[in-house]
Amino acid sequence: MEYDEKKQEKKRYWLKLDKDFLRNPQMKVLKNMTNGKDYIIFYLSLMLESIETVGHLRFTSLVPYNDEMLSSVTDTNIDIVRSAVKLFCELGLMQIFDDGTIFIPEVPKMTGKESESAERVRNYRERIKNQKDIKLLQCNNDVTKCNDNKEKQEEKQEHKDKQEEKQIEKDIKTKEKNKKKKKEAETEIDKVVNEKIQDEEVKEAFYDFVKMRKTIKKPLTTKGTELAIQKLYRLSNAKGEQILILNNSIMNNWQGLFELKPEDKKQLEQPKEYKEINLSEEEYIKQLDERGKRYV
């Protein structure tokens, strides 16, 4: 716990008093009273004591301040403290809660604070600014010329920034436009494929062909899709041959579709189907005998 408290960064607080602070109605009332100046000093002391707790004053979380404690903390005469506390409450400068906590409403409005790291950054920026100001003053011993150069540089940088912003906006719009076109193109391709190809297996093979064209950075356009389907049907109307034509182009990364070679067509030859014939045992043996005689 002690380590954590030490590790916490220190913060600096201050009161931001308006130049007309002593001219506000409450301060005028206090100034014109007997011991008025003492009241004001006591009030400022209380504000400073409560600055870290945003206007709240307690001796501890369990024990509130009493008049004697306030007198000791602020080095103020006890009689001044007693009369001042009563007066502050009447003027609205102070509130005392039921648990004894003292609250000064003006403190939160007038408190400024800064961490040590923020102070270091502020000081660093001031040093950099001062160094730049010195360089500007020394620039060719001509302040006017330096200021002109500075203004020109700022205008040049501003123009450059605007151009970059325009380019970024243009790039974003171009990307969005391209995405939209791509989506529309894909939708059009789907329409063409669904309209021109009825068989689901051929359709699936054609979509694989479309995907391959995208992979090799040669995507099909809507018109290109129509022409490719037309060529596929010119090359063959047979489902098996169409699928094989598409698969050949996919496996070889061909952009086009090409006629099958004779050896490719042989792959598609299927054995003849025989109808099931119900024969008696005698008829079956007779047929076997006849087949055997052909090979004698």
Side-chain angles (χ1 to χ4, degrees):
M1 188 70 181
E2 291 180 2
Y3 174 76
D4 290 340
E5 289 177 356
K6 289 179 181 178
K7 194 175 179 181
Q8 287 180 356
E9 190 175 26
K10 290 183 180 179
K11 294 182 180 178
R12 304 181 191 281
Y13 297 86
W14 60 88
L15 284 175
K16 297 180 284 186
L17 294 180
D18 188 89
K19 66 176 183 178
D20 295 325
F21 174 74
L22 294 175
R23 296 192 186 95
N24 72 49
Q26 292 97 328
M27 293 299 112
K28 282 185 176 181
V29 170
L30 293 175
K31 276 196 299 182
N32 292 323
M33 297 182 72
T34 306
N35 301 320
K37 292 182 181 178
D38 293 327
Y39 291 154
I40 292 173
I41 293 172
F42 175 58
Y43 180 66
L44 290 172
S45 299
L46 293 179
M47 292 178 79
L48 291 171
E49 283 295 325
S50 66
I51 197 169
E52 292 186 12
T53 51
V54 200
H56 295 76
L57 274 173
R58 284 185 70 87
F59 184 66
T60 67
S61 59
L62 298 176
V63 181
Y65 276 110
N66 58 30
D67 293 342
E68 288 76 12
M69 290 177 180
L70 292 176
S71 173
S72 175
V73 168
T74 61
D75 290 327
T76 306
N77 181 277
I78 185 65
D79 294 325
I80 297 292
V81 170
R82 287 171 181 156
S83 56
V85 168
K86 184 179 178 181
L87 188 59
F88 293 164
C89 290
E90 290 174 356
L91 292 172
L93 296 172
M94 176 188 290
Q95 296 174 17
I96 300 177
F97 300 148
D98 292 339
D99 64 351
T101 300
I102 296 170
F103 176 60
I104 302 174
E106 290 299 311
V107 171
K109 304 174 188 176
M110 301 167 63
T111 300
K113 66 178 180 179
E114 181 181 61
S115 64
E116 288 184 330
S117 59
E119 183 186 20
R120 287 196 296 271
V121 171
R122 179 171 52 78
N123 291 336
Y124 172 75
R125 287 175 177 169
E126 286 179 359
R127 287 200 303 273
I128 295 299
K129 184 178 181 298
N130 291 335
Q131 289 174 4
K132 287 182 179 179
D133 291 341
I134 292 171
K135 286 182 180 179
L136 287 172
L137 290 171
Q138 293 175 344
C139 179
N140 296 325
N141 295 320
D142 189 346
V143 176
T144 305
K145 184 177 179 181
C146 290
N147 288 336
D148 290 342
N149 289 338
K150 184 180 177 182
E151 287 177 3
K152 287 178 182 178
Q153 288 175 358
E154 288 176 351
E155 288 175 2
K156 189 176 179 182
Q157 185 62 41
E158 186 179 354
H159 178 72
K160 185 179 178 182
D161 292 341
K162 286 182 179 178
Q163 292 299 319
E164 287 179 356
E165 287 177 6
K166 286 181 181 178
Q167 186 60 44
I168 290 170
E169 289 177 1
K170 187 177 178 182
D171 291 342
I172 291 171
K173 287 180 181 177
T174 302
K175 285 180 181 178
E176 290 176 351
K177 192 175 180 181
N178 290 339
K179 282 182 182 179
K180 189 176 179 182
K181 281 184 179 179
K182 187 178 178 183
K183 191 174 181 180
E184 289 174 354
E186 286 176 353
T187 305
E188 291 299 320
I189 287 172
D190 290 336
K191 286 181 183 177
V192 172
V193 173
N194 290 324
E195 182 183 342
K196 302 290 184 183
I197 302 175
Q198 303 303 320
D199 188 272
E200 291 299 323
E201 291 184 37
V202 176
K203 192 182 292 183
E204 184 179 351
F206 191 84
Y207 273 124
D208 288 338
F209 175 69
V210 172
K211 186 177 179 181
M212 180 274 294
R213 286 288 300 265
K214 286 182 182 178
T215 304
I216 64 172
K217 310 293 185 186
K218 299 289 182 181
L220 280 168
T221 61
T222 305
K223 185 65 177 176
T225 302
E226 291 180 6
L227 295 174
I229 293 172
Q230 289 174 11
K231 185 172 183 181
L232 179 64
Y233 279 94
R234 282 202 307 272
L235 293 173
S236 177
N237 285 317
K239 169 183 171 180
E241 289 185 1
Q242 288 176 341
I243 292 173
L244 189 56
I245 289 168
L246 291 164
N247 287 342
N248 282 344
S249 293
I250 291 167
M251 288 186 293
N252 294 288
N253 287 337
W254 292 338
Q255 294 183 45
L257 301 174
F258 304 97
E259 187 176 2
L260 292 175
K261 295 178 182 179
E263 54 268 29
D264 292 330
K265 291 183 179 181
K266 286 181 182 179
Q267 297 178 25
L268 299 171
E269 291 181 0
Q270 300 292 335
K272 293 181 180 179
E273 296 181 1
Y274 293 93
K275 294 181 180 179
E276 186 179 351
I277 303 173
N278 295 320
L279 298 173
S280 65
E281 188 176 350
E282 272 183 30
E283 289 172 334
Y284 180 66
I285 292 170
K286 187 178 178 181
Q287 281 192 7
L288 288 177
D289 288 340
E290 287 176 357
R291 288 177 188 174
K293 287 175 184 177
R294 291 176 192 168
Y295 295 97
V296 175

